[in-house]
Amino acid sequence: EIVLTQSPGTLSLSPGERATLSCRASQSVSSSYLAWYQQKPGQAPRLLIYGASSRATGIPDRFSGSGSGTDFTLTISRLEPEDFAVYYCQQYGSSKITFGQGTRLEIK
Amino acid sequence: EVQLVQSGAEVKKPGESLKISCKGSGYSFTSYWIGWVRQMPGKGLEWMGIIYPGDSDTRYSPSFEGQVTISADKSISTAYLQWSSLKASDTAMYYCARLLGAAFDPWGQGTLVTVSS
């Protein structure tokens, strides 16, 4: 089973700042099979990025994804108040799926 | 609009059985895998399994194999997650989601299952 480790566990930033979230896999993941989600309190997760770097429909361009192999990154270029939430990475391979444990992005 | 609508919240006692549902609309239900994801209170997302409604091919996470049953009725565009004997540790929010390629989109609104004596 591929284990995804996200860091940091909690990130404290101010609106307008840049956020960089990391997702590291225990073995190589195809870039096509790495996704990022945002979850706000009381809501279902929402797909942000698929294929490591493609934005889902309706996602603002301040969100970007990058990486390959075992190291992937979600970047939010300039934080808006509505971006403070929990973020999860997810991989799919050989009909098995795993999620990272999440990064909480909180207002400083 | 592609939508997944889940059944309502449930309160059950340990040992009882339960089947929750997820109804898809706005797309060809038989052409995409549907997944189930558990989120225990205050915790992260855990993948439970996926089903292909077209032929009911099902894959389970090793952590959930034998603990739950995933099924689908393509005639009514609905997927199911069921337990034969609930435990207090099954208390959680359960989400269904369509697997679009290798990512889940969209997600259902979630079904809260509470198991308490």
Side-chain angles (χ1 to χ4, degrees):
Chain A
E1 174 182 300
I2 296 177
V3 177
L4 299 179
T5 301
Q6 294 185 238
S7 61
T10 302
L11 185 57
S12 299
L13 294 170
S14 301
E17 290 192 291
R18 180 185 187 90
T20 303
L21 288 67
S22 172
C23 176
R24 179 162 291 177
S26 59
Q27 53 188 280
S28 186
V29 172
S30 167
S31 295
S32 299
Y33 298 156
L34 194 288
W36 289 92
Y37 301 87
Q38 177 192 66
Q39 187 179 32
K40 296 180 180 179
Q43 296 185 16
R46 175 175 71 147
L47 176 66
L48 295 176
I49 300 288
Y50 64 94
S53 61
S54 297
R55 275 186 301 277
T57 302
I59 301 304
D61 60 9
R62 64 180 181 274
F63 290 91
S64 63
S66 63
S68 63
T70 60
D71 288 295
F72 297 89
T73 300
L74 174 70
T75 301
I76 311 172
S77 58
R78 280 180 57 86
L79 285 166
E80 298 287 344
E82 62 267 27
D83 298 336
F84 292 91
V86 180
Y87 293 84
Y88 296 94
C89 57
Q90 171 248 312
Q91 69 82 32
Y92 173 85
S94 302
S95 298
K96 301 296 183 187
I97 294 166
T98 51
F99 290 92
Q101 83 280 15
T103 289
R104 180 177 305 276
L105 179 56
E106 64 176 28
I107 299 177
K108 188 173 182 180
Chain B
E1 178 195 7
V2 176
Q3 236 184 340
L4 296 172
V5 177
Q6 298 184 228
S7 49
E10 302 273 2
V11 179
K12 292 289 190 179
K13 290 181 165 45
E16 292 186 330
S17 63
L18 176 64
K19 191 173 189 177
I20 63 175
S21 67
C22 168
K23 182 173 177 61
S25 62
Y27 73 102
S28 175
F29 187 74
T30 55
S31 300
Y32 296 87
W33 293 82
I34 290 280
W36 287 95
V37 175
R38 182 175 79 175
Q39 187 167 41
M40 300 179 76
K43 302 299 183 184
L45 305 174
E46 300 173 90
W47 172 64
M48 302 176 73
I50 51 175
I51 186 166
Y52 190 76
D55 61 7
S56 291
D57 186 8
T58 308
R59 315 286 169 86
Y60 290 94
S61 161
S63 299
F64 291 92
E65 180 105 51
Q67 308 305 308
V68 296
T69 301
I70 294 171
S71 61
D73 184 341
K74 62 184 179 183
S75 69
I76 55 171
S77 300
T78 300
Y80 301 97
L81 177 65
Q82 68 180 88
W83 296 260
S84 59
S85 181
L86 286 160
K87 303 183 283 288
S89 57
D90 293 317
T91 294
M93 181 71 80
Y94 293 88
Y95 294 102
C96 66
R98 182 181 70 164
L99 190 62
L100 189 63
F104 287 117
D105 184 52
W107 293 61
Q109 83 277 20
T111 296
L112 180 62
V113 174
T114 302
V115 184
S116 174
S117 54

